[in-house]
Amino acid sequence: MSPPNRIRRHRPGVLSAVIVLLLVLTGCGGGESGLSGDTGQASEVTGEFDWKRFDGESLRLVFNQHPWQEAIEPLLPEFEELTGMTVEVESLPEEQFRQRVQVEMTGRSDSLDVFMANVQNEGAKFAANGWYTDLRPLAENPAVTATEYAFDDFSEGVIDGHTFAETLVGIPIQLETQMLFYRTDILQEAGVEVPRTFEELEQVAEAIDDPDGTRAFVSRGAGAAAVTQIATYLFNYGANWTEEGSDTAAFDSPEGVEAIDFYSRMISSYGPQGVVNMSWEEALPLFQQGQVAMYTDASTFMPNILEESTEQVSGNVGFAKMPAGPAGEFQTFNGWALGISPFSPKQNESWYFVQWATSPDVVARLTEEGIAGARESVEFGDAYPEDWVTAFTESLSEARPQLPKVGPVPEVRDAIGTSIVSAIQGEPVEPAVQESAEQFNSIVESAGGG
Amino acid sequence: MAIAYDPSSAQWSKRARTAGYYLVVALVMLPFLFVFYYMISTSLKQPLAITAPDFQWLFTPTLDNYREVFVANDFLTFTVNSMIVAVGSTAIGLFIGLPAAFVIARYRVPKLALVILSARVTPGITFLIPWFIIFSQLRLIDTYSALIFTHLLQNLPLMIFLMISFFEEIPDELIESAKVDGATTQRTFWSIVLPLAKGGIAASAILGFVFSWNHFMFSIVLSGNDTRTLPVAVFNFMSFGSINWGAITAAATIMSLPVILLTLTVQRHIVKGLAIGAVKG
Amino acid sequence: MTATEQQPRPGPLATNGGPPGGPQPARTRRRQVSELVDRHIVGVFMTPAVIFVVVMMIVPVAFTIWLSLHSWSGGANSTPTFIGLDNFAQVLTGDPRFWDALRRTFYFTILAVVVETFLGVAIAVLLNREFLGKGLLRTIFLFPMIATPVAIALVWRLMYEPSLGILNDILAAVGLPTSTWVADQSLVIPALALVDVWEWTPLITLITLAGLSALPADPFEAAAIDGAGRWQTLRHITLPMMRPVIVVAVAFRLIDALKTFDIIYVITQGGPGFASETLNLYVYTQSFQYQNLGYSASLLIVFFAIVVGSAVLLLRFRRAGE
């Protein structure tokens, strides 16, 4: 009885056939760019605009857990009633959200229709990979766009910021600047004024810090998440992400090192423990619960602070622009948009959702909820704290993008983040920052090929 | 007063030593049990009790977290998904693994066993990425088959190895005598060997089920909206603003309970399998 | 006993049929087929499993090798570009993050497995006697290994929380300074290793216990007669005899520990910074966060080589020890 040998001899043949077949299949798949066939749908639709055109269809939306998402979810039944479509929403915490979308894009999932996009972060990469549907043809097609949509209401600058190589990758749903949130009662008690410069910020922090009670200051410390926050500090110290006109790292300049040193000093000396693991999900509740007195983060958290904090906090919170640094006062902005997956077989249906969510009516209502949209015509109502409106509008008018304009942003965020983490943990700042800069350069270089 | 040999004091010190021994044993068990206690108690606490600065030993229990897990989220669907994948991969694993284990045990074909062993040794991620790319080209992402087959690849070696130990326990004479009576090896396998190794098969099946149920890495990437399994779903509770620890621990309890209960039913055989495996090396 | 009963009784599977070619042709054909199957029983029984494993293994490995020679970002309009061995050159010479991840992987693995082994064997020795509730204990000991790792990791994550978790409460209660545990770059790997130790020490214990109970009684009796104390018996008789069993358990555990993913991903995601990023996580990040698919393929091959290499080394070590 020695059948094994016979079997073994036959197997290689079958196996190699299978292998070759699979390799061929995947090799073909990789080169396929005929997916543009899907977006061809966009221009196929003609006729009168009708909200109920796609009655009975369903959409799958993947959202990042975010104030905007929280505000729009209660309104979704209205969309369903208006169009007759059903929507299925999946909202995930930021990191899982990002990975989810990337995995589905790499897997060319046809079950993803609309997703939130943080264009400053992944826009360049997604666009290079062809992972956005061009929304311009959709917006310009009167058969699928209501006349009231008023596409021109979005400022040219903002639309430009969302355009990569002629493709309009998303419609902005929300803009945010970086802001300083502070407890008016605590500052008053200590007899100090709202800090207008970084120097003052540190002085105030020292005056109000209570190691056994309310700490003075918190901001994100979790590596990549902190990179957006640190931008304003960098700029106000006179540093830049990259050299003018090139992709070479410039944040390891003496000014940049100073900025990072200051930032990490502030959060490690005047803040709670464990800050290296904190993104906004962890830092925001601390402010809301009254455990820290000052917090710098995105302006978009204002409604959360006002509505979800303890009474003492929500009754005594002030909003201010980011303090100025030795090199001046620069403000930064970021924002989210809605994008449509090119692999979705429901291009027009998805556009209906994007359109509805960014329509003047919905944006106005979201603005009432405290979400600052991107439409120029919408004004802030009386419910908005005056100091917030002032801080926001003034910042926005002169704001610079928070993130560096390179291709592999997520990867460089990780690289820059390590220096922040090292600095917080007390390691020498300059060598850490220089190493980050080196990594930054090598990442950008090797990604250059696409 | 001279103290004569006092049997009662000798007994007492022996009892003391025994009590001391039990105490040590209890101390050793404590850390292992504590984590489970922590998980279950947190899942029964209200949010304020969880976020209180001091650990609350006494608290008013609530089923709110469990309600939230099942009602507010699709947890039942995820449980069903986990079930389908686990049962699927275990069933197929038994179907193709038991015969293989049998011949390895009886006919000593170690080389082929080595092939199967290498599947066990290889890091899962080595398979995950190519399979992810291949499955996505073939549009098999978010399907049960993709999950079942990849889970199977990780489970099969384990199940086969466990079964080999049990099959080797079956005395040769039993099989030889059946052959003498003219039965084919096949029939022997089905009618004699399998019933005799029932316990081992059950253990192996349950372990296969457990490892598939627990599997995380493949599921994050290969499952999608329709097929999401429990370990992946639990991340939905890391919500905005603060992590919902009550819901997470409730979900964790729900996830772990079935496999623990299942294991209880065959624990004797599992331990035996480990024993045989270890002794035989 | 009558004459008829002198015949050997038919065994359990004896068939009733007469000689082949008898009055039942269908059954004969079936019988011939089953005899054919029987002759090739090894092949028939082995083949499905082997084919499955080989295909499910060979295909990914072949694909990975192919991919590692290319650069690809998985995009819809990008194709893999052939770049030869550049990826490997990058891994080995231009990627400090890789070497750091490698270092951390070994640090975590060795730390966890060493502690598990010592604890596991010690506990097994301790429990190696008959006592009330031993069976129950053995059952309870299965739980940490069986419970879903993701669930366990989440609970530990809560336990490690500086303000909410119980571990800091315990430290404070005994007057020790609190720690940030997994938020501390220098503590994070030991903290994660602790979770692994909690999870897998029972495995070592159970296997050792099983081995201990299979030991022959004679050497121990002889030792007792010679007046050997407990420690001496342990050191010179028990442990040496247990060596093969323990080594096997450790070997398996070591290989598995190298591949740890769930705990790290759930508790720290490789952070803070990269302080807990092991090779497994690094490859995952490169593939699913950065989409550097060609590069991650080459990392995979290196990782694979390391794990398999360790396995082979361990096998050799075990052979040498016998």
Side-chain angles (χ1 to χ4, degrees):
Chain A
M1 264 199 280
S2 59
N5 287 318
R6 270 231 308 267
I7 308 277
R8 244 180 291 184
R9 248 179 281 134
H10 284 306
R11 258 189 281 125
V14 172
L15 280 178
S16 10
V18 172
I19 294 170
V20 169
L21 182 68
L22 275 167
L23 280 177
V24 165
L25 257 178
T26 55
C28 278
E32 203 179 64
S33 48
L35 294 145
S36 51
D38 283 336
T39 48
Q41 286 177 45
S43 40
E44 279 167 21
V45 178
T46 52
E48 284 267 326
F49 175 74
D50 178 17
W51 276 114
K52 289 247 194 275
R53 184 192 287 266
F54 302 108
D55 192 351
E57 291 285 350
S58 69
L59 287 176
R60 178 161 165 259
L61 320 170
V62 176
F63 290 161
N64 169 33
Q65 279 173 358
H66 185 270
W68 179 88
Q69 164 256 338
E70 277 202 346
I72 199 131
E73 274 186 10
L75 302 180
L76 292 177
E78 287 179 31
F79 173 76
E80 291 182 322
E81 226 196 283
L82 176 66
T83 59
M85 292 197 253
T86 42
V87 295
E88 193 196 316
V89 176
E90 198 182 316
S91 58
L92 297 164
E94 196 164 323
E95 237 192 273
Q96 273 86 20
F97 160 77
R98 292 212 153 114
Q99 267 187 29
R100 181 88 239 145
V101 174
Q102 286 193 156
V103 165
E104 296 211 18
M105 286 299 186
T106 313
R108 289 149 199 245
S109 152
D110 57 5
S111 70
L112 173 65
D113 298 309
V114 177
F115 60 101
M116 277 171 72
N118 183 209
V119 163
Q120 267 188 44
N121 188 58
E122 65 254 10
K125 173 182 275 190
F126 271 45
N129 282 344
W131 289 348
Y132 292 118
T133 301
D134 188 1
L135 299 182
R136 206 175 276 277
L138 288 163
E140 289 171 358
N141 180 353
V144 288
T145 306
T147 35
E148 312 88 59
Y149 186 59
F151 183 65
D152 311 312
D153 199 9
F154 297 102
S155 82
E156 237 188 87
V158 164
I159 294 293
D160 259 352
H162 285 80
T163 309
F164 290 84
E166 317 280 318
T167 308
L168 175 61
V169 303
I171 305 285
I173 49 180
Q174 179 257 357
L175 285 177
E176 58 193 45
T177 63
Q178 198 178 6
M179 217 177 251
L180 171 67
F181 313 119
Y182 62 94
R183 290 277 300 279
T184 49
D185 53 344
I186 296 185
L187 260 61
Q188 209 170 58
E189 215 184 295
V192 287
E193 296 281 326
V194 181
R196 294 302 323 131
T197 65
F198 285 145
E199 218 185 305
E200 285 173 25
L201 183 68
E202 190 162 10
Q203 285 167 353
V204 168
E206 206 167 334
I208 65 178
D209 188 29
D210 178 7
D212 297 315
T214 310
R215 301 306 306 267
F217 182 77
V218 75
S219 190
R220 304 186 198 177
V227 172
T228 45
Q229 302 307 303
I230 210 176
T232 317
Y233 294 79
L234 266 185
F235 301 155
N236 289 358
Y237 263 90
N240 269 312
W241 286 124
T242 53
E243 310 266 350
E244 193 75 46
S246 92
D247 279 347
T248 326
F251 59 89
D252 56 341
S253 61
E255 297 84 11
V257 174
E258 241 190 287
I260 295 181
D261 185 39
F262 175 73
Y263 183 77
S264 39
R265 190 169 73 241
M266 285 297 297
I267 60 181
S268 56
S269 322
Y270 303 106
Q273 279 190 323
V275 74
V276 280
N277 273 352
M278 289 195 195
S279 177
W280 61 263
E281 286 110 333
E282 288 82 19
L284 177 62
L286 290 177
F287 185 81
Q288 289 172 317
Q289 287 157 24
Q291 289 175 30
V292 286
M294 296 192 290
Y295 174 38
T296 59
D297 211 309
S299 58
T300 196
F301 295 124
M302 178 264 294
N304 302 87
I305 292 180
L306 290 179
E307 286 161 31
E308 294 165 11
S309 305
T310 63
E311 259 192 64
Q312 185 173 25
V313 173
S314 50
N316 291 293
V317 63
F319 303 93
K321 288 198 292 183
M322 284 296 293
E329 184 189 310
F330 296 98
Q331 299 295 330
T332 54
F333 79 94
N334 209 327
W336 288 84
L338 280 179
I340 299 180
S341 163
F343 309 111
S344 158
K346 302 176 186 164
Q347 297 290 305
N348 293 303
E349 296 87 328
S350 305
W351 171 245
Y352 266 33
F353 181 81
V354 175
Q355 188 191 160
W356 171 82
T358 54
S359 61
D361 176 48
V362 173
V363 173
R365 289 167 63 193
L366 289 176
T367 308
E368 272 171 48
E369 299 288 325
I371 309 291
R375 280 183 172 276
E376 293 186 322
S377 63
V378 177
E379 294 191 350
F380 297 116
D382 297 324
Y384 279 71
E386 244 189 82
D387 53 352
W388 186 92
V389 176
T390 319
F392 182 72
T393 39
E394 279 182 26
S395 302
L396 203 57
S397 61
E398 57 202 27
R400 299 166 54 174
Q402 274 180 347
L403 288 169
K405 274 208 160 120
V406 291
V409 173
E411 217 173 324
V412 304
R413 272 181 86 160
D414 274 342
I416 300 171
T418 50
S419 57
I420 301 176
V421 170
S422 300
I424 295 173
Q425 306 222 301
E427 289 170 39
V429 182
E430 199 177 328
V433 176
Q434 272 166 358
E435 214 191 298
S436 288
E438 268 174 47
Q439 278 177 18
F440 181 103
N441 288 331
S442 91
I443 292 170
V444 171
E445 223 185 278
S446 42
Chain B
M1 209 152 82
I3 299 180
Y5 174 71
D6 185 352
S8 67
S9 84
Q11 255 190 353
W12 193 89
S13 73
K14 182 172 180 211
R15 274 199 214 115
R17 258 182 303 147
T18 319
Y21 178 74
Y22 277 108
L23 187 65
V24 171
V25 170
L27 280 177
V28 163
M29 295 309 297
L30 196 63
F32 294 103
L33 284 175
F34 180 73
V35 173
F36 289 105
Y37 165 75
Y38 193 71
M39 173 172 82
I40 300 179
S41 65
T42 309
S43 72
L44 295 170
K45 285 184 183 168
Q46 288 163 344
L48 280 175
I50 301 176
T51 54
D54 296 313
F55 185 69
Q56 309 272 302
W57 291 97
L58 297 162
F59 56 93
T60 11
T62 167
L63 283 179
D64 280 348
N65 294 317
Y66 288 94
R67 252 192 289 271
E68 184 177 339
V69 165
F70 272 116
V71 172
N73 295 270
D74 248 337
F75 232 60
L76 206 57
T77 316
F78 302 138
T79 312
V80 169
N81 287 341
S82 277
M83 195 69 81
I84 293 180
V85 174
V87 169
S89 65
T90 307
I92 302 182
L94 283 177
F95 187 66
I96 65 178
L98 286 177
F102 178 64
V103 294
I104 294 179
R106 295 234 61 81
Y107 298 104
R108 318 270 188 269
V109 256
K111 294 262 176 62
L112 294 170
L114 214 64
V115 167
I116 297 185
L117 175 67
S118 54
R120 174 95 176 89
V121 165
T122 316
I125 200 162
T126 313
F127 303 126
L128 177 61
I129 289 161
W131 275 120
F132 171 69
I133 298 177
I134 295 175
F135 281 145
S136 54
Q137 304 287 358
L138 297 175
R139 306 236 171 238
L140 283 177
I141 303 276
D142 200 14
T143 58
Y144 290 117
S145 1
L147 286 170
I148 290 179
F149 283 119
T150 43
H151 281 207
L152 185 57
L153 179 62
Q154 300 256 282
N155 277 346
L156 195 60
L158 182 75
M159 288 168 68
I160 290 185
F161 268 103
L162 205 60
M163 282 320 305
I164 292 178
S165 317
F166 281 102
F167 282 143
E168 279 176 347
E169 290 281 291
I170 297 179
D172 283 346
E173 306 80 57
L174 225 63
I175 305 197
E176 292 308 320
S177 73
K179 285 248 211 68
V180 160
D181 291 330
T184 60
T185 321
Q186 252 199 93
R187 266 203 83 198
T188 321
F189 177 68
W190 290 110
S191 323
I192 299 193
V193 176
L194 285 187
L196 276 178
K198 248 193 329 223
I201 296 178
S204 166
I206 288 191
L207 271 183
F209 180 90
V210 165
F211 283 117
S212 170
W213 179 273
N214 287 349
H215 201 92
F216 181 59
M217 196 203 290
F218 285 1
S219 300
I220 312 181
V221 171
L222 296 176
S223 74
N225 217 31
D226 298 326
T227 57
R228 183 161 314 133
T229 57
L230 280 174
V232 181
V234 77
F235 276 98
N236 287 350
F237 297 106
M238 315 282 226
S239 58
F240 179 92
S242 57
I243 302 184
N244 189 349
W245 289 113
I248 290 189
T249 43
T253 310
I254 296 173
M255 244 198 296
S256 328
L257 220 55
V259 288
I260 290 186
L261 289 174
L262 266 180
T263 315
L264 279 176
T265 60
V266 289
Q267 56 98 351
R268 247 181 314 130
H269 298 285
I270 293 180
V271 174
K272 185 170 165 211
L274 282 176
I276 304 175
V279 172
K280 293 272 175 74
Chain C
M1 274 210 269
T2 61
T4 44
E5 280 172 344
Q6 300 265 323
Q7 272 181 339
R9 271 187 295 134
L13 293 179
T15 54
N16 279 330
Q24 289 154 323
R27 261 181 91 211
T28 311
R29 242 177 279 128
R30 227 186 300 142
R31 206 171 160 151
Q32 279 176 340
V33 167
S34 78
E35 272 178 354
L36 185 73
V37 164
D38 209 54
R39 268 199 292 274
H40 304 295
I41 193 72
V42 176
V44 170
F45 271 20
M46 283 281 325
T47 306
V50 175
I51 285 193
F52 175 78
V53 169
V54 170
V55 167
M56 294 288 287
M57 264 188 69
I58 295 261
V59 172
V61 170
F63 184 74
T64 306
I65 294 177
W66 176 82
L67 190 58
S68 68
L69 302 172
H70 293 69
S71 150
W72 191 31
S73 65
N77 41 6
S78 65
T79 48
T81 359
F82 182 75
I83 56 170
L85 294 175
D86 280 1
N87 279 330
F88 289 100
Q90 171 81 352
V91 171
L92 296 174
T93 59
D95 193 356
R97 196 167 160 187
F98 162 74
W99 292 105
D100 287 337
L102 188 62
R103 189 180 29 92
R104 287 183 212 109
T105 311
F106 279 115
Y107 178 31
F108 172 83
T109 305
I110 295 178
L111 182 64
V113 176
V114 166
V115 174
E116 274 160 25
T117 311
F118 270 108
L119 269 182
V121 172
I123 297 179
V125 167
L126 175 73
L127 296 179
N128 188 30
R129 62 167 91 171
E130 289 313 311
F131 59 91
L132 199 66
K134 184 174 181 185
L136 177 68
L137 217 69
R138 268 213 308 256
T139 309
I140 295 180
F141 250 40
L142 279 177
F143 293 169
M145 311 189 288
I146 296 289
T148 314
V150 171
I152 298 295
L154 284 168
V155 178
W156 274 94
R157 187 170 156 172
L158 177 58
M159 291 187 2
Y160 275 139
E161 258 278 319
S163 40
L164 293 179
I166 184 119
L167 288 177
N168 268 352
D169 287 343
I170 296 178
L171 281 185
V174 293
L176 288 171
T178 57
S179 164
T180 49
W181 301 102
V182 289
D184 183 336
Q185 275 185 316
S186 50
L187 278 183
V188 63
I189 298 237
L192 290 172
L194 180 63
V195 181
D196 196 74
V197 165
W198 180 91
E199 233 186 289
W200 293 106
T201 301
L203 179 73
I204 308 273
T205 301
L206 285 174
I207 293 184
T208 310
L209 261 181
L212 282 172
S213 57
L215 289 179
D218 303 335
F220 291 98
E221 284 169 5
I225 294 176
D226 285 342
R230 266 220 302 243
W231 275 117
Q232 284 175 313
T233 320
L234 186 67
R235 266 181 59 207
H236 298 290
I237 302 185
T238 323
L239 288 182
M241 282 208 287
M242 286 301 299
R243 191 162 174 249
V245 173
I246 298 181
V247 167
V248 169
V250 169
F252 270 111
R253 192 70 271 286
L254 208 69
I255 302 293
D256 277 346
L258 279 173
K259 304 187 275 167
T260 309
F261 180 81
D262 296 12
I263 303 175
I264 306 180
Y265 182 85
V266 170
I267 300 184
T268 60
Q269 262 123 30
F274 299 135
S276 59
E277 189 179 64
T278 54
L279 255 188
N280 214 344
L281 266 109
Y282 181 45
V283 177
Y284 184 85
T285 304
Q286 280 285 358
S287 320
F288 296 111
Q289 256 192 327
Y290 302 159
Q291 320 287 128
N292 291 334
L293 295 173
Y295 188 63
S296 70
S298 57
L299 279 174
L300 272 178
I301 293 184
V302 176
F303 186 35
F304 177 56
I306 290 173
V307 174
V308 171
S310 311
V312 168
L313 272 175
L314 281 166
L315 270 176
R316 290 264 169 81
F317 174 70
R318 183 187 147 219
R319 290 260 165 75
E322 278 172 1

